[in-house]
Amino acid sequence: MDAQSQWTGLDAGRLERITDHLERNYIAPGKIAGCQVTVARHGHIAYARNFGLMDRERGKPMTDDTIFRIYSMTKPIVSVALMTLYERGYFQLNDPVSRYVPSWKNHRVWVSGSGEDMVTEAPDRPVSFRDVLSHTAGFTYGGGLPGVGVQHPIDHVYRALKIRSFDARDSMQEFLDKLGQVPLRYQPGTAWMYSLATDVCGALVEVISGKPLAQYLDEVIFQPLGMKDTAFWVPAEKAERLAANYQRGADKQLKLMDDPADSNFTREPAFKSGGGGLVGTSADYLRFCEMLRRGGELDGARILGPRTLELMRMNHLPGGKELTELAIGGFSETAYDGVGFGLGFASTLDQVRAAGLGVGDFYWGGAASTIFWVDPKEELSVVFMTQLMPSGTFNFRGQLKSLIYSAIID
């Protein structure tokens, strides 16, 4: 056994299957332009590789410091940020959000119909902080998910109010107040639906802390953890490091959808999306993962207490159910069988039901097929970065879990 295998308990030869798998199935046939994989165990990096190109049109190879659009991998970061305010006593999980957003006291719940014929009822209880952290509040994405479109009468209300639309320049308070005008899709706490709930979490960070979201994240998470390239936009001096973003066309060929030369991500956005606005590097996100794995601390910087993080990882779905039983809508960044959801993360509850390894892990992904997971029991952190939309195109998580867990030998 080599020294690295002794430190990590991972067989180096078996980990090389990752190289073969990605090169043979994705890079060589051009299914993705490029990617990065980082695997750490017991705090030591066991595998870190760059594959292919970060910018196919310019022939630029993937590099260690490539900057990626992490989209919904923003959500766990912002959920952690909101929980730092929980730790300071600003709210309890079952407190109504309307304590900080008075306009939410007028929420209604959709029953039937649409437009002027829409029937609503009063909520059985107010939307709570737990609800917005766990996507059980009754919000939707307003038909704004990739390839989904407007599916429900409620989505039309989101569109009419221009909630989080590309041309909206709402302040965080205006965003929250607009959400107070939209009927909830279901009674709070009775179902799970991937939604703008984590954008709400970001807005609440700003409202409660009194600081702009970007500033709060920088001061409380990014600077303490040394996440020097994670932000809501790429400044000019780093623009050369931004990867191109691609989509898979109907002909199964890659098509450039966001050229880094004129990407919106090279300009400061008017609205800082807590649900999907960040960019960053694999190295930065690995530091976030390692903080999570170590119970809220890394290199002397404590972000959360270990008991708080343990609470976040637990399944908060009503009745201890799994997503298969409660999820509305078919799109999110996880499969549903054998999976629960906590305060910002999905987690594998049952390996048999989930048909894969890694019970007790917690994880999420992003719209451009980026993924991460943390497994406290195995002391494992994994970050996978690429730029391919939509994220459901290939099952990178399932494939990498098979390759990585089968390399654990201690």
Side-chain angles (χ1 to χ4, degrees):
M1 182 185 294
D2 60 36
Q4 180 173 284
S5 297
Q6 288 181 324
W7 293 334
T8 65
L10 287 159
D11 184 297
R14 283 181 158 247
L15 283 178
E16 278 303 315
R17 295 173 175 177
I18 299 172
T19 306
D20 174 68
H21 176 76
L22 292 173
E23 289 279 9
R24 176 167 41 86
N25 292 301
Y26 295 103
I27 302 299
K31 291 181 179 179
I32 59 176
C35 64
Q36 280 181 349
V37 184
T38 311
V39 182
R41 191 158 186 253
H42 305 319
H44 300 284
I45 292 179
Y47 183 95
R49 295 291 167 81
N50 299 320
F51 297 89
L53 302 173
M54 63 176 278
D55 186 331
R56 187 183 62 172
E57 284 64 34
R58 295 174 180 85
K60 294 171 66 173
M62 191 69 70
T63 58
D64 291 349
D65 64 354
T66 295
I67 295 174
F68 299 87
R69 302 155 192 79
I70 65 171
Y71 289 118
S72 286
M73 276 168 53
T74 303
K75 288 181 169 72
I77 294 174
V78 169
S79 299
V80 165
L82 185 56
M83 290 302 288
T84 65
L85 294 167
Y86 164 85
E87 287 193 326
R88 296 176 188 182
Y90 282 100
F91 64 89
Q92 297 293 295
L93 290 180
N94 290 334
D95 285 350
V97 174
S98 57
R99 279 186 51 201
Y100 288 98
V101 189
S103 60
W104 283 24
K105 292 178 180 178
N106 301 317
H107 262 141
R108 302 286 293 176
V109 180
W110 178 82
V111 176
S112 63
S114 61
E116 294 181 356
D117 297 325
M118 185 178 291
V119 178
T120 64
E121 63 184 7
D124 294 336
R125 63 162 177 80
V127 172
S128 70
F129 280 84
R130 187 200 307 268
D131 293 330
V132 295
L133 281 158
S134 61
H135 291 284
T136 58
F139 301 122
T140 80
Y141 250 115
L145 287 171
V148 175
V150 177
Q151 297 289 310
H152 190 273
I154 292 297
D155 295 336
H156 291 284
V157 184
Y158 280 81
R159 292 296 178 94
L161 291 172
K162 294 188 175 182
I163 296 176
R164 288 291 297 112
S165 63
F166 291 114
D167 56 348
R169 301 181 64 85
D170 295 333
S171 68
M172 293 295 192
Q173 189 63 58
E174 289 168 336
F175 163 68
L176 292 171
D177 288 342
K178 279 186 176 182
L179 277 178
Q181 300 176 50
V182 184
L184 302 173
R185 175 70 173 78
Y186 51 84
Q187 287 286 348
T190 63
W192 185 93
M193 189 171 191
Y194 200 41
S195 69
L196 290 171
T198 318
D199 283 286
V200 169
C201 292
L204 289 171
V205 168
E206 189 163 303
V207 168
I208 295 170
S209 72
K211 295 181 178 181
L213 176 61
Q215 179 184 341
Y216 191 86
L217 294 181
D218 194 53
E219 292 177 358
V220 176
I221 298 178
F222 301 154
Q223 287 188 38
L225 293 180
M227 297 171 67
K228 61 184 186 298
D229 290 317
T230 304
F232 283 105
W233 73 97
V234 183
E237 64 271 18
K238 298 180 181 180
E240 284 294 314
R241 294 162 50 198
L242 179 62
N245 195 11
Y246 298 92
Q247 61 183 341
R248 185 171 165 89
D251 58 359
K252 299 186 177 180
Q253 300 300 307
L254 286 182
K255 291 180 172 59
L256 181 67
M257 66 171 297
D258 188 22
D259 189 328
D262 59 4
S263 172
N264 284 333
F265 283 94
T266 60
R267 297 177 285 277
E268 181 177 358
F271 185 93
K272 312 297 192 296
S273 169
L278 289 173
V279 297
T281 61
S282 290
D284 277 8
Y285 214 91
L286 182 67
R287 291 191 65 78
F288 179 71
C289 290
E290 282 291 280
M291 176 276 292
L292 297 175
R293 180 187 68 80
R294 290 165 54 92
E297 175 273 337
L298 182 65
D299 295 341
R302 179 159 292 284
I303 310 301
L304 287 174
R307 303 301 187 278
T308 304
L309 195 53
E310 185 179 0
L311 176 65
M312 292 182 73
R313 295 193 292 107
M314 293 176 177
N315 182 24
H316 285 253
L317 297 179
K321 295 179 180 179
E322 63 182 53
L323 287 174
T324 305
E325 302 169 274
L326 291 172
I328 298 174
F331 183 90
S332 73
E333 297 295 341
T334 181
Y336 293 161
D337 290 336
V339 174
F341 201 88
L343 305 178
F345 314 97
S347 182
T348 305
L349 303 176
D350 185 325
Q351 290 183 111
V352 175
R353 289 275 300 144
L357 297 164
V359 68
D361 65 342
F362 55 107
Y363 62 88
W364 205 240
S369 301
T370 60
I371 59 173
F372 83 94
W373 78 85
V374 175
D375 186 330
K377 179 183 176 183
E378 295 293 352
E379 297 187 30
L380 181 71
S381 298
V382 178
V383 178
F384 174 83
M385 295 287 200
T386 190
Q387 301 280 256
L388 175 72
M389 298 182 77
S391 59
T393 307
F394 303 113
N395 184 17
F396 290 118
R397 186 188 310 280
Q399 294 163 19
L400 286 170
K401 288 188 85 169
S402 298
L403 291 159
I404 293 167
Y405 279 93
S406 62
I408 298 175
I409 54 176
D410 65 1

